[in-house]
């Protein structure tokens, strides 16, 4: 063998040995590290019968006293009351480890809901954090990790029914540098994750199959949500909010949501892989399960991107501000939606104004949505872009979007007057069936819509687009299946309207259209 061949051979062997060593060190279990606190060594039993939260909290206290470390839950079923996180702690759930929220002796094993700044301007669930299965306040450098499961078996889905029982799987208040990764959350209560005033938050690779909200990100900054699957038939999947719970209006800002899936299958059937769609006997309504901004919107939302996400059998994307906050600078791209039970897009600026007096109506502006495919959307609710009189939605751009609605709209719906409903809880249903099958746009300005294609799967009497009180609207390369009446667009009180290069429609420029059909 030549010198060069011999050198090459030994080089390959050395590389293989180094790789094996690297792999071996990576595969080492957390239990082998020196700064790991195994809860079994603090008295945890893991049989699903003995209460193990005292042992878990003892391990957390020991790790915190030592300056930090990993609190390790090996395989087992750990019945638990309150788990109180501390700074510089990582809670690690091994494969086969399940933390189970108990419903027994609740007053003794859970912490009571604390007195807070106010309970006037947001739901009670957003006003308390100590009543969580796992909770932390004013912490830094905290993580919840591992392939194990958090099962909120004994958690409530409401707060008022029993204030002594916890209703959140994970609740965090005013924390920073937080990581939640790889865990599975089942039946998480009112909120599987509630994070309020949490900065530098990473949520990655979670599976959530729950009875109400999957995750509520409230008044948080610098947030990364990625690779998560959230099934939440009775409430929202991934929900950004900005309540007044901190005693001030604080925006949720600098947020990325990417590579996520949201759905509304029957609870439990996502994790077991059966994906059932049986009739909801509890609420008698369509599933929720979506990505949403708003409902609680005192501080507003800024500088947010959503990309590469899948919606399946759930409600559509909702961007709402109704309590005086600014909703601005949002980019949404590469989305697929299938079997959507209400508006695929709901962009709404309202005036509910639940908050301190004297705050002006907010603004919704600079929104970009591109590269979206929607199939089999509900026939009653078009995509809705709506402000209120005197407060238009501003600067919305839609590009490269294909939408297939179920159809079935009637002439009565086409001629229906749509109520303002500016003080109501923000939801597409507050308008009732709208007069367009594709897009209903009211109280808006500076719209640019290009490369948008809308069609229906059964007979449809409504036009594809209805514009009412719209200023400066530019439509380019629009393809719309005509209704049974032959109409594509209805314009009412529209100024500076332009339509260009759209198949089957003549190019038009209208300075003012009090009432016009295309």
């Amino acid at each position: 063998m030549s010198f060069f061949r011999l050198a090459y051979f030994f080089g390959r062997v050395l590389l293989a040995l180094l790789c094996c060593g690297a792999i071996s060190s990576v595969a080492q279990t957390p239990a082998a590290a020196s700064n790991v606190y195994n809860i079994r060594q603090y008295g945890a039993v893991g049989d699903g019968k003995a209460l193990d939260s005292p042992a878990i909290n003892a391990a957390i206290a020991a790790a915190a006293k030592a300056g930090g470390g990993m609190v390790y839950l090996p395989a087992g079923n750990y019945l638990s009351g309150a788990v109180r996180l501390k700074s510089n702690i990582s809670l690690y759930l091994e494969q086969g480890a399940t933390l189970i929220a108990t419903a027994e002796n609740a007053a003794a094993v859970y912490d009571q809901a604390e007195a807070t700044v106010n309970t006037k301007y947001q739901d009670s669930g957003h006003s308390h954090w100590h009543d969580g299965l796992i909770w932390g306040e004013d912490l830094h450098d905290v993580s919840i990790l591992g392939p194990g499961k958090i099962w909120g078996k004994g958690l409530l889905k409401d707060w008022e029914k029993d204030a002594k029982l916890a209703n959140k799987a994970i609740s965090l208040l005013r924390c920073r540098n937080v990581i939640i990764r790889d865990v599975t959350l089942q039946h998480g209560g009112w909120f599987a994750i509630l994070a309020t005033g949490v900065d530098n938050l990473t949520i990655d690779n979670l599976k959530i199959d729950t009875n109400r909200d999957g995750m509520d990100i409230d008044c948080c900054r610098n947030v990364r949500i990625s690779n998560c699957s959230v099934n939440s038939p009775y409430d929202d999947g991934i929900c950004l909010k900005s309540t007044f719970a901190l005693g001030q209006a604080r925006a949720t800002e600098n947020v990325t949501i990417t590579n996520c899936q949201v759905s509304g299958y029957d609870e439990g059937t996502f994790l077991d892989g059966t994906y059932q769609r049986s009739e909801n006997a509890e609420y008698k309504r369509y599933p929720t399960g979506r990505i949403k901004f708003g409902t609680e919107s005192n501080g507003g939302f800024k500088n947010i991107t959503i990309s590469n996400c899948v919606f399946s059998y759930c409600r559509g994307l909702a961007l709402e501000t109704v309590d005086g906050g600014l909703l601005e600078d949002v980019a949404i791209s590469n989305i697929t939606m299938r079997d959507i039970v209400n508006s695929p897009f709901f962009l709404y600026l309202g005036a509910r104004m639940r908050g301190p007096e004297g705050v002006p109506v907010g603004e919704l502006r600079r929104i970009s949505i591109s590269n979206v495919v929607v199939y089999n959307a509900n026939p009653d609710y078009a995509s809705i872009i709506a402000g209120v009189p005197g407060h238009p939605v501003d600067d919305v751009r839609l590009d490269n979007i294909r939408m297939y609605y179920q159809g079935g709209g009637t002439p009565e719906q086409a001629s229906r007057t749509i109520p303002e409903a500016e003080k109501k809880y923000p939801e597409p249903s507050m308008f009732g069936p709208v007069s367009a099958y594709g897009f209903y746009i009211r109280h808006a300005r500076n719209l640019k819509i290009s490369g948008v294609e809308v069609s229906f799967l059964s007979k449809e009497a409504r036009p594809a687009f209805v514009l009412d009180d719209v200023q400066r609207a530019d439509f380019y390369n629009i393809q719309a299946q005509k209704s049974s009446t032959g109409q594509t667009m209805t314009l009412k009180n529209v100024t500076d309207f332009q339509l260009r290069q759209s198949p089957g429609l003549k190019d038009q420029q209208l300075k003012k259209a009090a009432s016009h059909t295309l």
Side-chain angles (χ1 to χ4, degrees):
M1 183 179 292
S2 71
F3 171 78
F4 293 106
R5 287 182 177 273
L6 190 64
Y8 174 78
F9 172 76
F10 281 111
R12 298 282 290 184
V13 171
L14 179 60
L15 179 62
L17 291 173
L18 289 172
C19 288
C20 288
I23 291 170
S24 175
S25 64
V26 169
Q28 187 178 31
T29 64
S34 59
N35 63 337
V36 169
Y37 298 79
N38 190 324
I39 65 169
R40 297 271 186 169
Q41 297 175 351
Y42 292 83
V45 178
D47 63 356
K49 299 176 182 179
L51 186 71
D52 287 324
S53 44
I56 298 170
N57 286 314
I60 291 173
K65 184 177 181 180
M70 177 183 290
V71 173
Y72 178 68
L73 279 68
N77 296 315
Y78 301 98
L79 198 65
S80 182
V83 173
R84 306 173 190 95
L85 296 175
K86 296 184 182 295
S87 296
N88 298 314
I89 294 298
S90 174
L91 190 68
Y92 189 93
L93 286 80
E94 185 60 90
Q95 190 78 56
T98 302
L99 185 70
I100 305 171
T102 183
E104 300 297 324
N105 198 20
V109 301
Y110 290 110
D111 295 324
Q112 298 300 294
E114 73 278 29
T116 52
V117 173
N118 80 89
T119 57
K120 181 178 180 180
Y121 302 132
Q122 63 278 327
D123 293 342
S124 59
H126 279 292
S127 302
H128 306 281
W129 297 267
H130 293 188
D131 54 345
L133 172 62
I134 303 171
W135 70 268
E137 179 178 346
D138 294 319
L139 305 180
H140 62 85
D141 301 289
V142 175
S143 57
I144 300 171
L145 309 171
K149 180 189 293 187
I150 299 168
W151 180 17
K153 181 180 180 181
L155 298 179
L156 290 178
K157 66 180 181 62
D158 293 306
W159 184 79
E160 292 86 353
K161 290 183 178 179
D162 187 350
K164 295 179 181 180
L165 191 60
N167 57 30
K168 308 166 185 76
I170 299 171
S171 56
L172 301 169
L173 173 64
R174 293 189 308 267
C175 299
R176 69 180 191 275
N177 305 333
V178 174
I179 301 171
I180 305 173
R181 176 176 287 142
D182 296 336
V183 296
T184 295
L185 288 97
Q186 179 180 353
H187 194 79
W190 197 337
F191 307 104
I193 299 174
L194 173 62
T196 305
V198 176
D199 292 349
N200 198 12
L201 169 64
T202 298
I203 299 176
D204 179 55
N205 194 36
L206 303 190
K207 294 186 290 293
I208 301 177
D209 193 347
T210 189
N211 51 325
R212 283 200 66 181
D213 280 9
M215 58 181 82
D216 273 34
I217 309 303
D218 182 20
C219 304
C220 297
R221 296 172 178 167
N222 303 322
V223 178
R224 297 156 298 278
I225 301 170
S226 58
N227 308 309
C228 294
S229 297
V230 183
N231 185 67
S232 52
Y234 308 141
D235 221 321
D236 298 310
I238 299 173
C239 191
L240 306 186
K241 293 184 177 178
S242 58
T243 69
F244 210 78
L246 297 174
Q248 61 181 328
R250 188 181 200 252
T252 289
E253 58 186 313
N254 303 336
V255 179
T256 61
I257 302 172
T258 189
N259 300 339
C260 292
Q261 301 180 8
V262 289
S263 58
Y265 302 111
D266 289 356
E267 185 194 358
T269 69
F270 177 80
L271 287 179
D272 73 14
T274 59
Y275 311 111
Q276 297 297 311
R277 303 184 183 187
S278 60
E279 183 180 357
N280 186 328
E282 183 175 4
Y283 285 136
K284 296 288 185 183
R285 62 183 174 95
Y286 290 124
T288 312
R290 62 190 160 188
I291 297 175
K292 182 177 79 169
F293 303 15
T295 309
E296 310 276 359
S297 50
N298 301 93
F301 310 90
K302 302 176 183 179
N303 204 27
I304 295 168
T305 69
I306 301 173
S307 62
N308 305 335
C309 291
V310 173
F311 291 60
S312 179
Y313 187 58
C314 62
R315 300 185 188 190
L317 180 73
L319 278 64
E320 309 163 356
T321 180
V322 297
D323 298 316
L326 302 179
L327 198 166
E328 58 187 7
D329 304 319
V330 177
I332 299 167
S333 62
N334 300 344
I335 306 294
T336 66
M337 301 185 184
R338 193 173 183 89
D339 301 336
I340 299 303
V341 302
N342 68 1
S343 296
F345 304 147
F346 183 59
L347 280 61
Y348 181 62
L349 169 61
R352 180 182 64 175
M353 309 310 293
R354 184 165 71 166
E357 293 184 6
V359 175
V361 174
E363 296 191 42
L364 195 160
R365 59 196 180 191
R366 297 191 299 274
I367 310 298
S368 175
I369 303 176
S370 63
N371 302 332
V372 179
V373 177
V374 179
Y375 181 76
N376 197 37
N378 185 283
D380 287 339
Y381 309 108
S383 287
I384 296 171
I385 301 172
V388 295
H391 300 279
V393 172
D394 189 19
D395 195 3
V396 174
R397 300 190 179 193
L398 307 178
D399 180 61
N400 191 26
I401 295 169
R402 287 181 290 163
M403 310 181 99
Y404 299 84
Y405 291 88
Q406 293 174 11
T410 65
E412 291 76 18
Q413 291 174 342
S415 61
R416 182 173 174 267
T417 299
I418 310 303
E420 289 291 346
E422 64 186 60
K423 297 293 184 181
K424 287 190 174 182
Y425 182 93
E427 193 66 39
S429 59
M430 70 186 184
F431 293 126
V434 296
S435 50
Y437 80 80
F439 283 84
Y440 178 78
I441 304 171
R442 183 170 66 180
H443 308 312
R445 66 188 175 197
N446 299 323
L447 298 177
K448 291 189 177 181
I449 298 179
S450 63
V452 171
E453 179 180 348
V454 292
S455 59
F456 46 82
L457 304 176
S458 61
K459 188 175 179 179
E460 178 61 69
R462 297 169 295 178
F465 297 88
V466 170
L467 280 65
D468 183 358
D469 184 26
V470 175
Q471 307 166 41
R472 295 185 296 279
D474 186 351
F475 283 70
Y476 172 77
N477 187 23
I478 304 303
Q479 298 185 55
Q481 188 174 353
K482 293 184 182 295
S483 70
S484 58
T485 63
Q487 293 183 355
T488 300
M489 289 190 182
T490 297
L491 310 181
K492 182 179 179 182
N493 300 322
V494 175
T495 59
D496 296 321
F497 173 83
Q498 183 171 237
L499 175 67
R500 298 173 293 135
Q501 299 186 27
S502 298
L505 296 169
K506 294 181 180 180
D507 288 5
Q508 298 194 35
Q509 284 188 317
L510 302 172
K511 188 64 179 175
K512 186 174 183 179
S515 180
H516 190 72
T517 59
L518 304 174

